């Protein structure tokens, strides 16, 4: 292996290696480059603090000696080992407790009129107008409302074909006329602009 490949492998192999670190290992008598940071005091581990640079061998020794629970009482150790340790902060209750009732609906801004428009009568009338007279008749044959979507149309068509088809009724052809109406209604509705 070439020297550059060995260096590249060493740099990517170990988690925590600081690339471009120019310091020497701070262990007495060590001449290796210090590529890993280690805290001087255990309390400095998670935040800004005093660091020293160590080589791979000495950072392994440092990690082997590190004791997270050093200086804690047995109750503190038990609390730190709890599965919910760190999550036991107070949060706002979502129920209506006391005076904290949450915002009223009138306090919400609806600049595009996306919510309020659904409840106006003229919008409901426009929903009816999205179908032609023939399409409204086909909806009646299928037993669907004006607010049906393509999925409801397919589901209802499948249900009605199973109900009226002679193969599903022991060869009884008395429902053929109704089956023809259902098929014709589906052909009309599947190309309707409202389902595009």
């Amino acid at each position: 292996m070439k020297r550059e490949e060995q260096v590249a492998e060493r740099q990517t192999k170990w988690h925590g290696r600081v690339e471009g670190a120019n310091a020497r290992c701070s262990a007495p008598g060590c001449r290796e480059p210090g590529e890993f940071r280690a805290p001087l005091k255990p309390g400095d581990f998670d935040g800004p603090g005093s660091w020293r640079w160590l080589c791979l061998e000495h950072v392994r020794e440092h990690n082997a000696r590190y004791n997270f629970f050093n200086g804690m009482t047995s109750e503190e150790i038990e609390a730190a080992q709890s599965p919910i340790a760190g999550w036991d902060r107070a949060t706002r209750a979502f129920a209506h407790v006391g005076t904290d009732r949450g915002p009223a609906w009138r306090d919400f801004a609806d600049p595009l009129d996306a919510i309020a428009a659904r409840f106006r009568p003229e919008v409901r009338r426009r929903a009816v107008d999205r179908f032609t007279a023939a399409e409204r008749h086909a909806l009646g044959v299928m037993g669907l409302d004006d607010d049906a979507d393509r999925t409801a149309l397919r589901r209802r068509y499948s249900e009605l074909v199973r109900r009226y088809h002679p193969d599903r009724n022991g060869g009884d052809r008395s429902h053929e006329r109704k089956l023809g109406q259902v098929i014709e209604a589906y052909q009309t509705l599947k190309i309707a602009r409202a389902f595009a």
Side-chain angles (χ1 to χ4, degrees):
M1 231 182 199
K2 294 181 183 176
R3 173 78 177 136
E4 296 85 29
E5 291 173 357
Q6 289 174 341
V7 170
E9 183 181 332
R10 268 184 40 205
Q11 287 177 344
T12 58
K13 188 174 181 181
W14 306 108
H15 175 71
R17 181 185 305 270
V18 178
E19 292 185 37
N22 297 327
R24 285 260 179 231
C25 179
S26 62
C30 185
R31 301 184 87 49
E32 291 289 319
E35 301 172 303
F36 299 89
R37 290 190 317 177
L40 288 174
K41 296 180 282 192
D44 292 339
F45 187 75
D46 282 333
S50 306
W51 299 90
R52 63 183 177 156
W53 294 95
L54 298 173
C55 66
L56 181 60
E57 181 182 340
H58 288 108
V59 83
R60 284 180 173 162
E61 288 176 15
H62 170 81
N63 289 342
R65 287 191 312 267
Y66 181 75
N67 182 2
F68 177 80
F69 302 109
N70 190 22
M72 288 186 179
T73 65
S74 59
E75 291 83 18
E76 291 171 332
I77 292 172
E78 187 177 339
Q81 290 177 334
S82 166
I84 59 167
W87 291 93
D88 51 348
R89 292 186 295 273
T91 58
R92 175 179 169 245
F94 289 102
H96 297 298
V97 179
T99 60
D100 186 19
R101 301 197 122 257
W105 280 106
R106 68 179 173 275
D107 296 337
F108 284 96
D110 189 12
L112 298 176
D113 206 26
I115 297 170
R118 293 186 65 195
F119 301 105
R120 285 198 204 103
E122 67 271 7
V123 173
R124 287 191 186 144
R125 266 187 260 113
R126 269 188 278 143
V128 173
D129 294 343
R130 72 181 220 186
F131 295 106
T132 64
E135 291 167 350
R136 260 188 257 114
H137 173 72
L139 282 171
V141 170
M142 299 289 286
L144 294 171
D145 293 327
D146 291 340
D147 62 348
D149 61 354
R150 184 173 288 279
T151 305
L153 173 66
R154 288 180 184 154
R155 189 177 298 131
R156 183 68 176 159
Y157 174 69
S158 177
E159 177 186 320
L160 292 175
V161 167
R162 281 195 300 271
R163 182 185 301 168
Y164 297 128
H165 201 281
D167 290 346
R168 301 283 284 189
N169 293 309
D172 182 13
R173 295 181 166 268
S174 62
H175 300 291
E176 276 187 339
R177 185 166 182 265
K178 185 66 175 170
L179 177 64
Q181 291 174 346
V182 167
I183 292 171
E184 184 180 335
Y186 179 72
Q187 296 300 325
T188 302
L189 290 172
K190 77 177 189 178
I191 59 172
R193 276 192 357 216
F195 295 123

